[in-house]
Amino acid sequence: MAISLEKGKKVSLKKGGSAGLGEILVNLNWNTKPAKKGLLGGLFGGGQGIDLDLGCLFELKDGRKGVVQALGNAFGSLNQPPYIALDGDDRTGAVTTGENLRIDGNKIALFKRILVYTFIYEGVANWQQADAVVTIKYPGAEDLIIKMDSYNSNDVMCGLALLENVNDETFSVEKIVQFYPGHQALDSAFHWGMRWQAGRK
């Protein structure tokens, strides 16, 4: 069983009894097939694969803020702050498990909020072709599915889901699926207040 999130509605990830939330897994999967080449295919990147990257902005209760993503080799760590780790970088979408962010839900009391996003590192901004789906899993609960059901954007960045610490025992999860021209615009929209510079991987 899985729950498909509706935009603007929140659901809760709650820890059970004295146990913590356990590991929260955020998985991104997308279509590996390149667009068909037509008369205009060459002009609009037909036949070119898309390299989608999964990442997140985080803010801890102690005021520390940062990013976990492949760009800039900011893969994070599960064993020390920010208690979030990216498990790899799928450059083509060909890895069947996609890309995964792992969050230590047992450290929930240390988090303030986490904003999960994806961006097109290489390839044309064709979100419909990518047909990306995000799945959030944690122990003892149904999977949460976030479908990218808005496609009409040429922007390369998409805010996917916002996780907020409610009472040190619960994360509220809200589907965002909003497009932005880049990291700085996403940051500004959610008032993260970080300084950005160009990077490569």
Side-chain angles (χ1 to χ4, degrees), residues 43-46 48-50 120 122-127 129 156:
L43 289 174
F44 294 102
Q48 181 181 10
I50 292 176
I120 298 175
E122 288 181 342
V124 177
N126 186 339
W127 293 101
Q129 176 197 332
V156 296

Side-chain angles (χ1 to χ4, degrees), residues 112-132:
K112 183 175 180 182
R113 56 182 181 154
I114 302 167
L115 177 61
V116 179
Y117 58 78
T118 183
F119 63 98
I120 298 175
Y121 179 71
E122 288 181 342
V124 177
N126 186 339
W127 293 101
Q128 189 164 7
Q129 176 197 332
D131 193 24

Side-chain angles (χ1 to χ4, degrees), residues 40-59:
L40 300 176
L43 289 174
F44 294 102
Q48 181 181 10
I50 292 176
D51 178 11
L52 277 188
D53 273 7
L54 178 66
C56 72
L57 297 176
F58 65 84
E59 183 175 0

Side-chain angles (χ1 to χ4, degrees), residues 98-195:
E99 291 192 6
N100 296 288
L101 273 173
R102 300 178 188 277
I103 302 166
D104 186 351
N106 296 328
K107 303 287 188 183
I108 184 172
L110 301 178
F111 289 103
K112 183 175 180 182
R113 56 182 181 154
I114 302 167
L115 177 61
V116 179
Y117 58 78
T118 183
F119 63 98
I120 298 175
Y121 179 71
E122 288 181 342
V124 177
N126 186 339
W127 293 101
Q128 189 164 7
Q129 176 197 332
D131 193 24
V133 176
V134 173
T135 306
I136 299 175
K137 304 169 180 274
Y138 81 107
E142 295 174 309
D143 293 352
L144 302 179
I145 307 294
I146 299 173
K147 294 182 180 178
M148 292 186 63
D149 41 17
S150 300
Y151 299 123
N152 55 343
S153 177
N154 294 320
D155 290 331
V156 296
M157 171 80 70
C158 182
L160 295 169
L162 181 64
L163 285 73
E164 294 181 286
N165 181 348
V166 176
N167 56 9
D168 289 350
E169 295 184 353
T170 304
F171 270 128
S172 71
V173 183
E174 180 182 359
K175 176 178 177 178
I176 304 296
V177 186
Q178 184 68 43
F179 297 91
Y180 303 91
H183 287 76
Q184 183 70 64
L186 177 74
D187 180 308
S188 297
F190 289 87
H191 309 290
W192 229 270
M194 289 168 51
R195 295 176 183 171

